[in-house]
Amino acid sequence: MPMTAASASSDLSTQVARLFFDRQLSKMEIAARLGISRFRVARLIDDALADGLVRIEYRDIPADDRGLAAVLEERFGLDLCAVAIAAADEATDEATDEATTFNAVVRLAAAVLHGLISSGDVIGVAWGSTLAAVVRELPTRSDPDLEVVQLAGSSARLDRGRDAGELARVLADRLGATHRAIYSPTFVETAALRAALLREPEVADTVARFNALDLAIVGIGAMPTGDDGAASSLVRSGVLDDTEVLRLTELGAVGDLVVHPFDATGRFVAPDLAERAVAIGVEELRRVRRVVAVASGTRKAGAIRGALKSGVIRMLVTDGPTARAVLGGA
């Protein structure tokens, strides 16, 4: 049977696709090898995908909603967003209980972080129950060229598993990394006392590593609103008294990053707190190339939205109902 123009084109598409996907040749290299233009190579690759000659499958474990993630990336200018899909999430927001959704976010965040972490990276980690769960889910490795840096001081009022110092140590153990701790409370009484602590070699050596961070892993805390209690380790830790929390809400704070409260527009409020905080500063955090926030739960939607508007967060891992709630109020 004579070869038709269509079958010849299909055969060429297959050959081009093999060179591109299997042999990893560039379009320019394929064009030179076959004596055709680079633009024709690109068209043949597109045809191979459109005609089903080549199929690309993403075998995500756990599953994620790429369409919803893309909308969040576009809306907030994110470098990366991953939205976890829990069982029955596609049907209604209420179809999945909070624990199932939370676990799906934790698994997805661990998978994303595992892919992002490269040998030689300096990794900062904050505090909180969500991050503690993510750290426990991370695959173990043994890489002494990795370095884990604690991003905020500790608090005796936090559960052991959620404390910043404990969390940084556990993360370092799971990665087989070196560990930089901050031996200090999160907040001290005065700016002068903070300045004195930062002169102590054991604290100063860790704080100096803030400027070397390749990756920072943070949670997003939500301030109490109406009948809802706080979903914030900063507030739940008790390092701020009720009067201080009330002052923050009166200033319009809807959430916090590490120890820095912000309002719905993403503006950081109460700079006097930062003057007493033994923690990474907002501007230091802005300079980190990859700041990954992990946050789950629709009651955090306003806080997540404000955090994304701050421009500090470059990557986000969340769940479907929360993502839709964030977009709904944006």
Side-chain angles (χ1 to χ4, degrees), residues 19-323:
L19 291 171
F20 185 72
F21 292 106
D22 292 347
R23 301 283 299 279
Q24 300 289 298
L25 297 183
S26 70
K27 293 173 185 176
M28 197 71 98
E29 289 171 327
I30 296 169
R33 177 174 293 200
L34 299 181
I36 59 178
S37 72
R38 178 171 60 85
F39 300 103
R40 189 178 180 195
V41 170
R43 188 171 66 252
L44 288 167
I45 291 170
D46 289 341
D47 289 346
L49 290 167
D51 295 341
L53 293 172
V54 174
R55 291 189 303 170
I56 298 175
E57 296 182 359
Y58 296 96
R59 301 182 63 186
D60 296 303
I61 303 174
D64 64 324
D65 188 330
R66 294 179 180 275
L68 192 51
V71 175
L72 277 165
E73 288 171 355
E74 179 69 22
R75 183 76 58 87
F76 294 100
L78 296 172
D79 294 330
L80 174 70
C81 180
V83 177
I85 299 176
D89 185 34
E90 301 89 340
T92 64
D93 289 355
E94 293 77 28
T96 308
D97 63 82
E98 280 190 17
T100 301
T101 300
F102 177 80
N103 289 335
V105 171
V106 166
R107 291 194 301 273
L108 181 59
V112 168
L113 288 168
H114 180 63
L116 289 174
I117 295 171
S118 300
S119 185
D121 279 350
V122 180
I123 306 159
V125 63
W127 58 358
S129 54
T130 301
L131 295 193
V134 172
V135 166
R136 290 194 299 270
E137 188 72 21
L138 273 172
T140 58
R141 58 175 96 177
S142 181
D143 190 345
D145 289 331
L146 289 170
E147 182 180 338
V148 172
V149 179
Q150 183 179 336
L151 294 183
S154 297
S155 171
R157 299 175 184 177
L158 275 175
D159 295 341
R160 181 179 176 186
R162 294 186 295 157
D163 175 69
E166 176 72 8
L167 198 50
R169 185 192 63 76
V170 172
L171 177 58
D173 287 347
R174 292 197 69 80
L175 298 177
T178 57
H179 176 216
R180 300 270 189 167
I182 297 178
Y183 299 104
S184 164
T186 310
F187 288 99
V188 293
E189 288 188 0
T190 65
L193 180 53
R194 175 183 182 273
L197 272 172
L198 294 185
R199 290 193 294 270
E200 290 293 323
E202 287 189 344
V203 177
D205 287 349
T206 298
V207 170
R209 300 302 289 163
F210 291 165
N211 289 320
L213 294 175
D214 298 294
L215 174 70
I217 309 167
V218 302
I220 299 174
M223 292 290 172
T225 56
D227 295 331
D228 284 339
S232 162
S233 291
L234 174 62
V235 176
R236 288 195 302 240
S237 69
V239 296
L240 304 177
D241 61 27
D242 291 343
T243 301
E244 192 67 74
V245 173
L246 178 61
R247 181 176 78 96
L248 292 177
T249 55
E250 289 174 345
L251 287 171
V254 297
D256 60 89
L257 283 173
V258 190
V259 298
H260 304 291
F262 55 83
D263 65 17
T265 69
R267 181 178 64 91
F268 288 92
V269 300
D272 55 299
L273 275 183
E275 294 174 356
R276 299 190 292 109
V278 184
I280 190 169
V282 171
E283 294 310 312
E284 290 171 312
L285 205 51
R286 285 190 197 279
R287 290 194 290 270
V288 180
R289 184 166 54 89
R290 295 173 296 169
V291 178
V292 183
V294 185
S296 176
T298 53
R299 68 172 175 159
K300 282 192 172 186
I304 295 170
R305 194 180 308 119
L308 296 179
K309 288 181 178 180
S310 75
V312 173
I313 304 300
R314 303 305 311 157
M315 303 179 181
L316 173 69
V317 183
T318 188
D319 60 83
T322 302

